[in-house]
């Protein structure tokens, strides 16, 4: 990404990311990490309903269909919604590392308008890890996975403990997530977003 700020440049001692042995297999649908998540949750009427799949290494692909509820200018996706789609896609990468992390910084470039009715084809990868910092990049294309790039982003995620969520979230939602009998859904409820 051109113009990336120094905060998004991995330090010299950063290492290549390593896919966790228990990460979903390439091609596997990741599913929602939490039903109420604006990015991937199925229980959000106006959410993005982003569908992400594990790729090779520490990569994922995802799709987001722009609906009328996502527009800013008439007939075009709102830039903040597109940034949310990038953030959700980048955050989903952390599931491949089996790391709980939150967005520390997100820089986006908007290269072309994305019309309502279009499907944004997203590709993301973790590029480096330095201690608790996870560096990643994503692109969003229209017209197909090989179509022109409409949006792109670089991000810095920071590894956190579950207490980040339980100490700061609304108690009723925290209780509901913690009481979920499905252990995998319970763990995934706390995987991304600040």
């Amino acid at each position: 990404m051109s113009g990336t700020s120094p905060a998004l440049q991995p330090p010299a001692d950063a290492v290549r990311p390593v896919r966790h042995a228990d990460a979903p297999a390439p091609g596997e649908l990741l599913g929602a990490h939490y039903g109420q998540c604006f990015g991937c949750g199925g229980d959000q009427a106006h959410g993005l309903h982003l569908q992400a799949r594990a790729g090779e290494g520490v990569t994922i692909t995802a799709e987001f269909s722009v609906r009328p509820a996502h527009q800013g200018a008439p007939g075009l996706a709102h830039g903040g919604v597109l940034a949310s789609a990038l953030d959700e896609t980048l955050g989903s990468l952390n599931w491949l590392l089996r790391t709980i992390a939150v967005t520390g910084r997100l820089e986006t470039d908007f290269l072309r308008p994305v019309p309502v009715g279009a499907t944004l084809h997203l590709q993301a990868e973790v590029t480096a890890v330095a201690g608790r910092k996870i560096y990643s990049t994503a692109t969003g294309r229209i017209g197909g996975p090989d179509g022109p790039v409409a949006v792109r982003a670089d991000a810095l995620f920071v590894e956190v403990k579950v207490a980040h969520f339980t100490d700061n979230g609304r108690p009723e939602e925290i209780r509901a997530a913690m009481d979920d009998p499905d252990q995998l859904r319970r763990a995934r409820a706390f995987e991304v977003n600040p």
Side-chain angles (χ1 to χ4, degrees):
M1 183 167 144
S2 62
T4 298
S5 71
L8 292 174
Q9 297 297 322
D13 63 345
V15 298
R16 293 184 51 82
V18 177
R19 184 189 189 102
H20 193 279
D22 295 330
E28 186 175 329
L29 186 64
L30 299 183
H33 75 270
Y34 179 59
Q36 290 296 323
C37 175
F38 176 76
C40 65
D43 299 338
Q44 282 288 344
H46 298 296
L48 305 182
H49 302 167
L50 193 117
Q51 298 281 313
R53 289 191 182 279
E56 297 292 332
V58 189
T59 68
I60 65 165
T61 59
E63 290 185 358
F64 160 55
S65 296
V66 181
R67 298 189 317 266
H70 302 137
Q71 64 190 311
L76 297 174
H78 188 285
V81 170
L82 295 174
S84 293
L86 288 162
D87 184 45
E88 182 67 28
T89 302
L90 290 158
S92 295
L93 287 164
N94 296 313
W95 190 242
L96 300 179
L97 300 173
R98 297 301 288 261
T99 299
I100 300 171
V102 296
T103 310
R105 186 173 187 95
L106 176 71
E107 289 186 13
T108 57
D109 285 330
F110 301 93
L111 305 173
R112 64 181 61 231
V114 178
V116 170
T119 297
L120 192 63
H121 299 269
L122 298 143
Q123 298 173 318
E125 71 174 310
V126 176
T127 58
V129 176
R132 294 176 48 226
K133 295 180 177 181
I134 301 164
Y135 298 85
S136 53
T137 188
T139 58
R141 298 172 182 270
I142 54 176
D146 296 320
V149 175
V151 293
R152 61 183 174 208
D154 285 331
L156 168 65
F157 282 79
V158 180
E159 184 177 352
V160 296
K161 303 289 184 198
V162 171
H164 171 86
F165 302 97
T166 58
D167 292 349
N168 297 295
R170 221 165 54 156
E172 51 270 27
E173 276 88 3
I174 297 297
R175 257 191 315 281
M178 296 294 276
D179 290 343
D180 190 325
D182 184 302
Q183 185 177 6
L184 183 60
R185 271 198 319 258
R186 191 169 55 242
R188 289 211 56 211
F190 301 102
E191 81 171 302
V192 293
N193 299 329

